[in-house]
Amino acid sequence: MTSPEPALRHALDHERAHHDRCRDALAAMADGSDEQVVTGEDVSASGADAEVLGRRLRTRARELRELPPGPLFFGRLDFARGTGDHAGQSYHIGRLRITEHPTAPPLVVDWRAPVSRAFYQATARAPRGVAVRRRFGWAPGSRGDSADLTGLEDEHLAEGEERVSGIVAQEIERPRVGPMRDIAATIQPEQDDLVRGDLGASVCVQGAPGTGKTAVGLHRAAYLLYTHPQRIRRGGLLILGPNRTFLSYIAEVLPALGETGVRQSTLVEEIARHPVTGTDDERTAVVKHDARTAEVLRRALYARVRAGGDGGPRDLAVPDGSSRWRVPAEELARIVADVRAEEVPYDVGRERVRARIVRAVRERAERRGGPRGTAWTRRIERARPVSAYVDAVWPRVRAEEVLAGLLGDPGELSAAAEGVLDTEEQKALLWARPPRSWKSARWSAADLVLLDEVAGLLEHSPGYGHIVVDEAQDLSPMECRAVARRAAYGSLTVLGDLAQGTTPWAARTWPEALAHLGKPDAAVVPLTTGYRVPRAVADLANRLLERLDVDVPAARSLRGDGALRLREVPGPGAVPDAVVAAVRDASAREGSVGVVAADADVPRLRRALTGAGVDAAGPEEPGARVTVVPASLVKGLEYDHVVAVEPAAIAEAEARGLHRLYVVLTRAVSRLEVVHGRPLPF
């Protein structure tokens, strides 16, 4: 009888040989794509067809060349013999499809292909035709050398065998050094359901810390690009993150999954018509981010529409050669009123008024002299009396003019805000020193949101086929409206955790936020099983969760490993030395170290660490071994070892400081050490 070790060595040698074959095939695919680009540029077709074909071929060639190095497969499915579409077949599962020839069976099947779903969903009770599911173990940091294939596990589902995978556990618990990794090899069934959701359906993922909601959102983006390439690329796909630090952290996930060129941005960057040079106090910012302000802006814009122009009702006389066509003031007023009632964008309404005035003139001319042609119509459209009348009753405006007029004129604001904002809220909105013109205005971050709202009233915003919105709980109602305009004809994947809402306008409930996002019927799906945060850390965070004003389920962790230490020191003055000691302890272990403190304490701690000879980087360097991060920027990030400094200071730094502290306590992958000289706020 063959011993297990020789059998395992034989299986590993066989799989390593297959990986070598896959690597050669991938190189040939890249070379073949380059050759197709050259051939495609010379195809005999129309210029437009050749351009489209060339662009597609160049994109494919670039994607293959830019694929990050790494193992080419992470699993294998052996289907049972008998019936079914895949009976008796075996498929290796990886991050992209690899084949030696387009018509040949694939050497590796893309993890997003329909057949691959069984890898994530098959169980002993419901094997989906799978006889054996094999998982591969690769050396940490492998760049795709076949020798790095170090182990494999087989589950014999057809025989009723099902067990917790040690390879999956090792992958989940592997140290987090550098940017975020993809989770294609470790997607769990409930995550897979979300990833493969229908393109037309918007979904909201309420994810407790460590449940993989960000990874789910990114893998869903990759899945939609694979499954609906034409529809998605026609409308575009956008990843919205809370800040650039976060986007740097997740930047390598989609390229690792074979998807390049996806726009990853922040909402501020998407709506930035001007640089942010002004600031608002919290009271002013809260009013500007309030959904009621949208109605104030709408009123301010449409207050510029006057049915009879500045001089009151009057007839319109339009010269036409030796004739003059007269449109009565009553008919003109009716035209303006009808267009107002249609609730179209302001600029569309302006052109509709022009078109209907021209139609009224044409009807009079045709009654007397017969049909008029296109040239005649264009001449009447450009006639000075018509343009002057349109400018008088429906003037052309810019978003900046509307907002500057509103914030700089108490009378205009009072008229627009009557019954919507109270006197104190109106005072909060007014500029203390109005600029001479909007061109010299100092716009704040909240002003950019208001400008985007007005711009959306003027004309339709450019939209996307799908938008993934991460940390959505922190979006204000007005920011949600900005996202909604860009997803008016597309769908959303909304990711967040109400317990981690830290802005003054953070969402209290998902139905409210989804209504502002324009997707009130989106399903809210909770993820509560943690794969990143160790159980001891999750339990500590759950103690704090009880004090937060949100209705979300507590997280549970599958991780029995990890460690938690509460390090109390004699007083605040002893904290820096204790932090240095904690960092040295953590640095003796494998993995990244994140020191997280209230923003005001960060400079002092960096000086203490530097003075002690510890090389500590800032959050803008995601690959650093030791990073000092302000609590305000740590959301979405993760470190193997977290040193949380003076929780009481973090909790007191802002109105929703306890929520911020909840974020800080849930960033650890392996160990959390809490250093404090003051009583803990939980």
Side-chain angles (χ1 to χ4, degrees):
M1 183 174 179
T2 307
S3 66
E5 287 191 6
L8 176 60
R9 285 198 301 270
H10 176 74
L12 284 173
D13 288 342
H14 176 78
E15 297 292 2
R16 287 168 182 153
H18 183 74
H19 193 266
D20 287 334
R21 183 182 175 187
C22 292
R23 191 168 49 196
D24 292 341
L26 180 61
M29 287 170 62
D31 293 341
S33 293
D34 287 332
E35 292 175 4
Q36 288 174 348
V37 169
V38 175
T39 304
E41 290 175 343
D42 295 331
V43 295
S44 177
S46 71
D49 288 344
E51 182 178 350
V52 170
L53 176 60
R55 184 165 60 248
R56 289 177 180 172
L57 293 173
R58 284 191 295 273
T59 299
R60 179 59 177 164
R62 186 184 68 250
E63 289 173 350
L64 289 172
R65 289 195 303 271
E66 294 179 356
L67 188 71
L72 299 180
F73 54 76
F74 50 78
R76 195 180 86 181
L77 291 174
D78 295 344
F79 284 86
R81 298 185 182 277
T83 60
D85 293 340
H86 307 289
Q89 300 295 314
S90 292
Y91 302 102
H92 283 77
I93 311 299
R95 288 167 178 80
L96 82 164
R97 185 179 191 272
I98 301 175
T99 181
E100 291 174 315
H101 189 274
T103 61
L107 300 176
V108 176
V109 174
D110 195 296
W111 67 276
R112 297 165 288 187
V115 68
S116 300
R117 187 163 200 189
F119 183 78
Y120 303 106
Q121 296 284 351
T123 65
R125 290 185 177 182
R128 294 175 173 248
V130 176
V132 180
R133 172 169 51 207
R134 173 169 288 183
R135 300 181 190 271
F136 297 101
W138 293 85
S142 172
R143 297 177 63 83
D145 189 326
S146 298
D148 292 337
L149 178 56
T150 57
L152 55 85
E153 285 178 347
D154 285 344
E155 291 177 84
H156 296 269
L157 300 180
E159 300 173 11
E161 178 187 356
E162 188 173 351
R163 54 192 171 87
V164 176
S165 168
I167 286 178
V168 171
Q170 290 173 8
E171 175 64 21
I172 290 174
E173 297 169 11
R174 184 153 58 92
R176 260 65 168 174
V177 178
M180 182 180 180
R181 305 190 301 264
D182 71 83
I183 62 165
T186 61
I187 292 173
Q188 300 301 299
E190 67 273 19
Q191 296 173 327
D192 184 64
D193 288 336
L194 291 166
V195 166
R196 296 176 191 264
D198 183 68
L199 170 61
S202 293
V203 64
C204 173
V205 181
Q206 161 57 44
T211 55
K213 56 184 175 293
T214 296
V216 164
L218 293 172
H219 286 68
R220 175 160 167 73
Y223 173 79
L224 293 177
L225 285 164
Y226 173 88
T227 311
H228 308 283
Q230 299 305 320
R231 290 173 61 187
I232 286 293
R233 288 193 168 90
R234 183 166 58 246
L237 192 147
L238 173 66
I239 308 292
L240 280 180
N243 52 58
R244 269 288 143 195
T245 300
F246 176 83
L247 292 176
S248 297
Y249 178 63
I250 68 170
E252 295 186 13
V253 174
L254 285 175
L257 297 171
E259 300 297 344
T260 59
V262 176
R263 181 167 176 78
Q264 301 188 32
S265 183
T266 67
L267 184 60
V268 171
E269 292 169 347
E270 288 297 296
I271 66 176
R273 297 168 64 94
H274 302 280
V276 174
T277 55
T279 57
D280 292 317
D281 58 37
E282 184 172 308
R283 174 61 173 159
T284 298
V286 166
V287 178
K288 289 180 178 179
H289 281 284
D290 194 303
R292 295 173 298 157
T293 306
E295 173 60 17
V296 176
L297 294 170
R298 190 193 66 80
R299 291 182 182 181
L301 173 61
Y302 281 96
R304 298 168 182 264
V305 176
R306 296 177 175 85
D310 293 334
R314 67 180 188 274
D315 295 349
L316 174 64
V318 182
D320 179 19
S322 60
S323 302
R324 292 175 69 86
W325 308 112
R326 188 171 300 276
V327 184
E330 296 79 6
E331 184 174 353
L332 294 169
R334 189 166 56 251
I335 287 173
V336 174
D338 288 347
V339 173
R340 277 290 309 269
E342 292 168 4
E343 298 185 351
V344 294
Y346 183 94
D347 288 348
V348 173
R350 172 182 160 87
E351 294 312 309
R352 283 193 183 180
V353 168
R354 182 191 301 275
R356 291 182 190 181
I357 291 173
V358 172
R359 184 171 66 189
V361 173
R362 186 177 66 242
E363 288 172 352
R364 286 162 170 76
E366 289 180 345
R367 280 198 296 267
R368 180 176 298 181
R372 296 297 195 266
T374 302
W376 182 93
T377 301
R378 289 177 179 170
R379 179 164 53 82
I380 298 300
E381 286 175 347
R382 295 193 296 268
R384 184 172 299 175
V386 173
S387 295
Y389 188 85
V390 172
D391 287 340
V393 300
W394 204 295
R396 188 184 302 278
V397 294
R398 294 177 58 101
E400 289 81 358
E401 293 176 70
V402 176
L403 186 57
L406 186 70
L407 302 185
D409 186 336
E412 184 175 338
L413 177 59
S414 177
E418 182 179 0
V420 180
L421 302 178
D422 62 31
T423 303
E424 292 303 313
E425 289 170 326
Q426 293 178 35
K427 287 181 180 178
L429 283 182
L430 282 171
W431 278 332
R433 294 183 179 180
R436 292 185 177 181
S437 77
W438 67 263
K439 294 181 180 179
S440 59
R442 295 172 59 83
W443 303 109
S444 69
D447 289 335
L448 298 185
V449 181
L450 302 189
L451 287 172
D452 192 75
E453 178 77 24
V454 180
L457 292 170
L458 292 172
E459 59 182 352
H460 287 300
S461 300
Y464 289 88
H466 191 80
I467 303 178
V468 177
V469 190
D470 209 343
E471 303 296 348
Q473 76 281 344
D474 277 333
L475 295 178
S476 71
M478 292 296 284
E479 288 173 323
C480 286
R481 289 173 63 88
V483 175
R485 284 188 289 276
R486 289 158 175 81
Y489 303 104
S491 54
L492 292 176
T493 297
V494 180
L495 312 169
D497 179 7
L498 296 177
Q500 297 185 55
T502 53
T503 58
W505 40 78
R508 266 61 175 183
T509 69
W510 282 122
E512 179 184 0
L514 290 169
H516 292 306
L517 285 165
K519 308 296 180 185
D521 297 328
V524 179
V525 181
L527 290 179
T528 58
T529 302
Y531 305 98
R532 172 175 59 79
V533 180
R535 189 173 303 144
V537 176
D539 290 345
L540 178 69
N542 285 337
R543 286 166 50 190
L544 180 58
L545 180 63
E546 296 172 0
R547 296 190 55 189
L548 307 183
D549 57 340
V550 291
D551 183 18
V552 299
R556 67 184 187 92
S557 175
L558 296 182
R559 301 266 311 272
D561 62 327
L564 169 66
R565 179 180 181 184
L566 305 180
R567 185 189 292 233
E568 184 175 7
V569 297
V575 166
D577 289 342
V579 169
V580 171
V583 169
R584 284 179 171 156
D585 287 348
S587 298
R589 299 173 172 84
E590 186 179 8
S592 57
V593 181
V595 179
V596 189
D599 292 31
D601 291 339
V602 166
R604 176 172 67 122
L605 294 175
R606 292 197 71 170
R607 288 195 299 271
L609 289 166
T610 302
V614 177
D615 186 13
E620 67 280 357
E621 302 176 58
R625 178 73 197 286
V626 178
T627 308
V628 182
V629 191
S632 64
L633 290 181
V634 78
K635 189 173 295 183
L637 307 182
E638 58 184 28
Y639 302 92
D640 288 285
H641 314 281
V642 169
V643 180
V645 184
E646 203 64 273
I650 295 172
E652 294 169 359
E654 53 190 306
R656 291 174 66 85
L658 286 177
H659 293 258
R660 183 77 69 187
L661 179 58
Y662 181 81
V663 174
V664 171
L665 296 179
T666 55
R667 300 303 96 200
V669 174
S670 298
R671 297 175 71 253
L672 171 64
E673 183 156 351
V674 180
V675 177
H676 65 105
R678 299 169 55 190
L680 295 172
F682 51 84

Coordinates of all heavy atoms in Angstrom, one line a residue, residues 285-341:
A285 N -21.4 73.2 8.2 CA -21.3 72.0 7.4 C -22.5 71.1 7.5 O -22.9 70.5 6.5 CB -20.0 71.3 7.7
V286 N -23.0 71.0 8.7 CA -24.1 70.1 9.0 C -25.3 70.6 8.2 O -26.1 69.8 7.6 CB -24.5 70.0 10.5 CG1 -25.8 69.4 10.7 CG2 -23.4 69.2 11.2
V287 N -25.6 71.9 8.1 CA -26.7 72.4 7.4 C -26.5 72.2 5.9 O -27.4 71.8 5.2 CB -26.9 73.9 7.7 CG1 -28.1 74.5 6.9 CG2 -27.2 74.1 9.2
K288 N -25.3 72.4 5.4 CA -25.0 72.2 4.0 C -25.2 70.8 3.6 O -25.6 70.5 2.4 CB -23.6 72.7 3.6 CG -23.5 74.2 3.7 CD -22.1 74.7 3.3 CE -21.9 76.2 3.3 NZ -20.6 76.7 3.0
H289 N -24.9 69.8 4.5 CA -25.0 68.4 4.1 C -26.4 67.9 4.3 O -26.7 66.7 4.0 CB -24.0 67.6 4.9 CG -22.6 67.7 4.4 ND1 -22.2 66.9 3.3 CD2 -21.5 68.3 4.8 CE1 -21.0 67.2 3.1 NE2 -20.5 68.0 4.0
D290 N -27.3 68.7 4.9 CA -28.7 68.3 5.1 C -29.5 68.2 3.8 O -29.4 69.1 3.0 CB -29.4 69.3 6.1 CG -30.7 68.8 6.7 OD1 -31.6 68.4 5.9 OD2 -30.8 68.8 7.9
A291 N -30.3 67.2 3.7 CA -31.1 67.0 2.5 C -32.1 68.1 2.2 O -32.4 68.4 1.0 CB -31.9 65.7 2.6
R292 N -32.5 68.8 3.2 CA -33.4 70.0 3.0 C -32.8 71.1 2.2 O -33.5 71.8 1.5 CB -33.9 70.5 4.4 CG -34.7 69.6 5.2 CD -35.0 70.2 6.6 NE -33.7 70.4 7.3 CZ -33.6 71.3 8.3 NH1 -34.6 72.0 8.7 NH2 -32.4 71.4 8.9
T293 N -31.4 71.2 2.2 CA -30.7 72.2 1.5 C -31.0 72.0 0.0 O -30.9 73.0 -0.8 CB -29.3 72.2 1.8 OG1 -29.1 72.3 3.2 CG2 -28.5 73.4 1.2
A294 N -31.2 70.8 -0.5 CA -31.5 70.5 -1.9 C -32.7 71.3 -2.3 O -32.7 71.9 -3.5 CB -31.7 69.0 -2.1
E295 N -33.7 71.4 -1.5 CA -34.9 72.1 -1.9 C -34.6 73.6 -1.9 O -35.2 74.4 -2.8 CB -36.1 71.8 -0.9 CG -37.3 72.7 -1.1 CD -38.0 72.5 -2.4 OE1 -37.7 71.6 -3.1 OE2 -38.8 73.4 -2.8
V296 N -33.8 74.1 -1.0 CA -33.4 75.5 -1.0 C -32.7 75.9 -2.3 O -33.0 76.9 -2.9 CB -32.6 75.8 0.2 CG1 -32.1 77.3 0.2 CG2 -33.3 75.6 1.5
L297 N -31.8 75.0 -2.7 CA -31.1 75.3 -4.0 C -32.0 75.2 -5.2 O -31.9 76.0 -6.1 CB -30.0 74.2 -4.1 CG -28.8 74.2 -3.1 CD1 -28.0 73.0 -3.2 CD2 -28.0 75.5 -3.2
R298 N -32.9 74.3 -5.2 CA -33.9 74.2 -6.3 C -34.7 75.5 -6.4 O -34.9 76.1 -7.5 CB -34.8 73.0 -6.1 CG -35.7 72.7 -7.4 CD -36.8 71.7 -7.0 NE -37.7 72.3 -6.1 CZ -38.7 73.1 -6.4 NH1 -38.8 73.5 -7.7 NH2 -39.5 73.6 -5.5
R299 N -35.2 76.0 -5.3 CA -36.0 77.2 -5.3 C -35.1 78.4 -5.7 O -35.6 79.2 -6.5 CB -36.5 77.5 -3.9 CG -37.6 76.5 -3.4 CD -38.0 77.0 -2.0 NE -39.0 76.1 -1.4 CZ -39.5 76.3 -0.2 NH1 -39.2 77.4 0.5 NH2 -40.4 75.5 0.3
A300 N -33.9 78.4 -5.3 CA -33.0 79.6 -5.7 C -32.8 79.6 -7.2 O -32.7 80.6 -7.8 CB -31.7 79.5 -4.9
L301 N -32.6 78.4 -7.8 CA -32.4 78.3 -9.2 C -33.6 78.8 -10.0 O -33.5 79.6 -10.9 CB -32.0 76.9 -9.6 CG -31.9 76.6 -11.1 CD1 -30.8 77.5 -11.7 CD2 -31.6 75.1 -11.3
Y302 N -34.8 78.2 -9.6 CA -36.0 78.4 -10.4 C -36.6 79.8 -10.1 O -37.5 80.2 -10.8 CB -36.9 77.3 -10.3 CG -36.5 76.1 -11.1 CD1 -35.8 75.1 -10.6 CD2 -36.8 76.1 -12.5 CE1 -35.4 74.0 -11.4 CE2 -36.4 75.0 -13.3 CZ -35.7 74.0 -12.7 OH -35.3 72.9 -13.5
A303 N -36.1 80.5 -9.0 CA -36.6 81.8 -8.8 C -36.1 82.7 -9.9 O -36.7 83.8 -10.1 CB -36.1 82.3 -7.5
R304 N -35.2 82.3 -10.7 CA -34.7 83.1 -11.8 C -35.6 83.0 -13.0 O -35.4 83.8 -14.0 CB -33.3 82.7 -12.2 CG -32.3 82.9 -11.1 CD -30.9 82.1 -11.3 NE -30.0 82.3 -10.2 CZ -29.1 83.3 -10.1 NH1 -28.9 84.1 -11.1 NH2 -28.3 83.4 -9.1
V305 N -36.5 82.1 -13.1 CA -37.4 82.0 -14.2 C -38.6 82.9 -14.0 O -39.3 82.9 -12.9 CB -38.0 80.5 -14.3 CG1 -39.0 80.4 -15.4 CG2 -36.8 79.6 -14.6
R306 N -38.9 83.8 -15.0 CA -40.0 84.7 -14.9 C -40.8 84.6 -16.2 O -40.3 84.8 -17.3 CB -39.4 86.2 -14.7 CG -38.7 86.4 -13.4 CD -38.1 87.8 -13.4 NE -37.5 88.0 -12.1 CZ -36.2 87.7 -11.8 NH1 -35.5 87.1 -12.7 NH2 -35.7 88.0 -10.6
A307 N -42.1 84.4 -16.0 CA -42.9 84.1 -17.2 C -42.9 85.3 -18.2 O -43.0 85.1 -19.4 CB -44.3 83.8 -16.7
G308 N -42.8 86.5 -17.7 CA -42.9 87.7 -18.6 C -41.7 88.5 -18.8 O -41.7 89.6 -19.3
G309 N -40.6 88.0 -18.2 CA -39.3 88.8 -18.3 C -39.4 89.9 -17.2 O -40.3 90.0 -16.5
D310 N -38.3 90.7 -17.2 CA -38.2 91.7 -16.1 C -39.3 92.8 -16.3 O -39.7 93.4 -15.4 CB -36.8 92.4 -16.2 CG -35.8 91.4 -15.7 OD1 -36.1 90.4 -15.0 OD2 -34.6 91.5 -16.2
G311 N -39.7 93.0 -17.5 CA -40.7 94.1 -17.8 C -42.1 93.7 -17.7 O -43.0 94.4 -18.0
G312 N -42.4 92.5 -17.2 CA -43.8 92.1 -17.0 C -44.3 91.4 -18.3 O -43.6 91.4 -19.3
P313 N -45.6 91.0 -18.4 CA -46.1 90.3 -19.6 C -46.1 91.3 -20.8 O -46.4 92.4 -20.7 CB -47.6 90.0 -19.2 CG -47.5 90.0 -17.7 CD -46.5 91.1 -17.3
R314 N -45.6 90.7 -21.9 CA -45.6 91.4 -23.2 C -45.6 90.5 -24.3 O -45.2 89.3 -24.2 CB -44.4 92.3 -23.3 CG -43.1 91.6 -23.4 CD -41.9 92.6 -23.5 NE -40.6 92.0 -23.8 CZ -39.8 91.5 -22.9 NH1 -40.2 91.5 -21.6 NH2 -38.7 90.9 -23.2
D315 N -46.1 90.9 -25.5 CA -46.1 90.1 -26.7 C -44.7 90.0 -27.2 O -43.8 90.8 -26.9 CB -47.1 90.7 -27.7 CG -48.5 90.7 -27.3 OD1 -48.8 90.0 -26.3 OD2 -49.3 91.3 -27.9
L316 N -44.5 89.0 -28.1 CA -43.2 88.8 -28.7 C -43.4 89.0 -30.2 O -44.3 88.3 -30.8 CB -42.6 87.4 -28.4 CG -41.4 87.0 -29.2 CD1 -40.2 88.0 -28.8 CD2 -41.0 85.6 -28.9
A317 N -42.7 89.9 -30.9 CA -42.8 90.1 -32.3 C -41.5 89.6 -32.9 O -40.4 90.1 -32.6 CB -43.0 91.5 -32.6
V318 N -41.6 88.6 -33.9 CA -40.4 88.1 -34.5 C -40.4 88.4 -36.0 O -41.3 88.1 -36.7 CB -40.4 86.5 -34.4 CG1 -39.1 85.9 -35.0 CG2 -40.5 86.1 -32.9
P319 N -39.4 89.2 -36.5 CA -39.3 89.6 -37.9 C -39.0 88.4 -38.8 O -38.2 87.5 -38.4 CB -38.2 90.6 -37.9 CG -37.3 90.3 -36.8 CD -38.2 89.7 -35.7
D320 N -39.6 88.3 -40.0 CA -39.4 87.3 -40.9 C -39.5 87.9 -42.3 O -40.5 87.9 -42.9 CB -40.4 86.2 -40.7 CG -40.2 85.0 -41.7 OD1 -39.1 84.9 -42.3 OD2 -41.2 84.3 -41.9
G321 N -38.3 88.4 -42.8 CA -38.4 89.2 -44.1 C -39.3 90.4 -43.9 O -39.1 91.2 -43.0
S322 N -40.3 90.5 -44.8 CA -41.2 91.6 -44.7 C -42.3 91.4 -43.7 O -43.1 92.3 -43.5 CB -41.8 91.9 -46.1 OG -42.5 90.7 -46.5
S323 N -42.4 90.2 -43.1 CA -43.4 89.9 -42.1 C -42.9 90.0 -40.7 O -41.7 89.9 -40.4 CB -44.0 88.5 -42.4 OG -44.5 88.4 -43.7
R324 N -43.9 90.1 -39.8 CA -43.6 90.1 -38.3 C -44.6 89.2 -37.7 O -45.8 89.4 -37.8 CB -43.6 91.5 -37.7 CG -42.5 92.4 -38.2 CD -42.6 93.8 -37.6 NE -42.4 93.8 -36.2 CZ -41.2 93.9 -35.6 NH1 -40.1 94.0 -36.4 NH2 -41.1 94.0 -34.3
W325 N -44.1 88.1 -37.0 CA -45.0 87.2 -36.4 C -45.1 87.5 -34.9 O -44.1 87.6 -34.2 CB -44.5 85.7 -36.6 CG -44.3 85.4 -38.0 CD1 -43.1 85.1 -38.6 CD2 -45.2 85.3 -39.1 NE1 -43.2 84.9 -39.9 CE2 -44.5 85.0 -40.3 CE3 -46.6 85.5 -39.2 CZ2 -45.2 84.8 -41.5 CZ3 -47.3 85.3 -40.4 CH2 -46.5 85.0 -41.5
R326 N -46.3 87.6 -34.4 CA -46.6 88.0 -33.0 C -47.1 86.9 -32.2 O -48.1 86.2 -32.6 CB -47.5 89.2 -33.0 CG -47.7 89.8 -31.6 CD -48.5 91.1 -31.7 NE -47.8 92.1 -32.6 CZ -46.9 92.9 -32.2 NH1 -46.4 92.9 -30.9 NH2 -46.3 93.8 -33.0
V327 N -46.5 86.6 -31.1 CA -46.9 85.6 -30.1 C -47.4 86.3 -28.9 O -46.6 87.0 -28.2 CB -45.8 84.6 -29.8 CG1 -46.4 83.5 -28.9 CG2 -45.2 84.0 -31.0
P328 N -48.7 86.2 -28.5 CA -49.2 86.9 -27.4 C -48.6 86.5 -26.0 O -48.1 85.4 -25.9 CB -50.7 86.5 -27.4 CG -51.0 86.0 -28.7 CD -49.7 85.4 -29.2
A329 N -48.5 87.5 -25.1 CA -47.9 87.3 -23.8 C -48.6 86.1 -23.1 O -47.9 85.4 -22.4 CB -48.0 88.6 -23.0
E330 N -49.9 86.0 -23.2 CA -50.6 84.9 -22.5 C -50.1 83.5 -23.0 O -49.9 82.6 -22.2 CB -52.1 85.0 -22.7 CG -52.7 86.2 -22.1 CD -52.5 87.5 -23.0 OE1 -52.0 87.3 -24.1 OE2 -52.9 88.6 -22.5
E331 N -49.9 83.4 -24.3 CA -49.4 82.1 -24.8 C -47.9 81.9 -24.4 O -47.5 80.7 -24.1 CB -49.5 82.1 -26.3 CG -49.1 80.8 -27.0 CD -49.3 80.8 -28.5 OE1 -49.9 81.7 -29.0 OE2 -48.9 79.8 -29.1
L332 N -47.1 82.9 -24.3 CA -45.7 82.8 -23.9 C -45.7 82.3 -22.4 O -44.9 81.5 -22.0 CB -45.0 84.1 -24.1 CG -44.8 84.6 -25.5 CD1 -44.3 86.0 -25.5 CD2 -43.8 83.7 -26.2
A333 N -46.5 83.0 -21.6 CA -46.6 82.6 -20.2 C -47.0 81.1 -20.0 O -46.5 80.4 -19.1 CB -47.5 83.5 -19.4
R334 N -47.9 80.7 -20.8 CA -48.3 79.3 -20.8 C -47.2 78.3 -21.2 O -47.0 77.3 -20.6 CB -49.6 79.1 -21.7 CG -50.2 77.7 -21.5 CD -51.6 77.7 -22.1 NE -51.6 78.1 -23.5 CZ -52.1 79.2 -24.0 NH1 -52.6 80.1 -23.2 NH2 -52.0 79.5 -25.3
I335 N -46.4 78.7 -22.2 CA -45.3 77.9 -22.6 C -44.3 77.7 -21.4 O -43.9 76.6 -21.1 CB -44.6 78.5 -23.8 CG1 -45.4 78.4 -25.1 CG2 -43.2 77.9 -24.0 CD1 -44.9 79.1 -26.3
V336 N -44.0 78.9 -20.8 CA -43.0 78.8 -19.7 C -43.6 78.0 -18.5 O -42.9 77.1 -17.9 CB -42.7 80.2 -19.2 CG1 -41.8 80.1 -17.9 CG2 -42.0 81.0 -20.3
A337 N -44.9 78.2 -18.2 CA -45.5 77.4 -17.1 C -45.5 75.9 -17.4 O -45.2 75.1 -16.5 CB -46.9 77.9 -16.8
D338 N -45.8 75.5 -18.7 CA -45.9 74.1 -19.0 C -44.5 73.5 -18.9 O -44.4 72.3 -18.4 CB -46.4 74.0 -20.5 CG -47.9 74.3 -20.6 OD1 -48.6 74.4 -19.5 OD2 -48.4 74.5 -21.7
V339 N -43.5 74.2 -19.4 CA -42.1 73.6 -19.3 C -41.7 73.5 -17.8 O -41.1 72.5 -17.4 CB -41.1 74.5 -20.1 CG1 -39.7 74.0 -19.8 CG2 -41.4 74.4 -21.5
R340 N -42.0 74.5 -17.0 CA -41.7 74.4 -15.5 C -42.4 73.1 -14.9 O -41.8 72.4 -14.1 CB -42.2 75.6 -14.8 CG -41.4 76.8 -14.8 CD -40.1 76.7 -14.0 NE -40.3 76.2 -12.7 CZ -40.5 77.0 -11.6 NH1 -40.5 78.3 -11.8 NH2 -40.7 76.5 -10.4
A341 N -43.6 72.8 -15.3 CA -44.3 71.7 -14.8 C -43.7 70.4 -15.2 O -44.0 69.3 -14.5 CB -45.8 71.8 -15.2

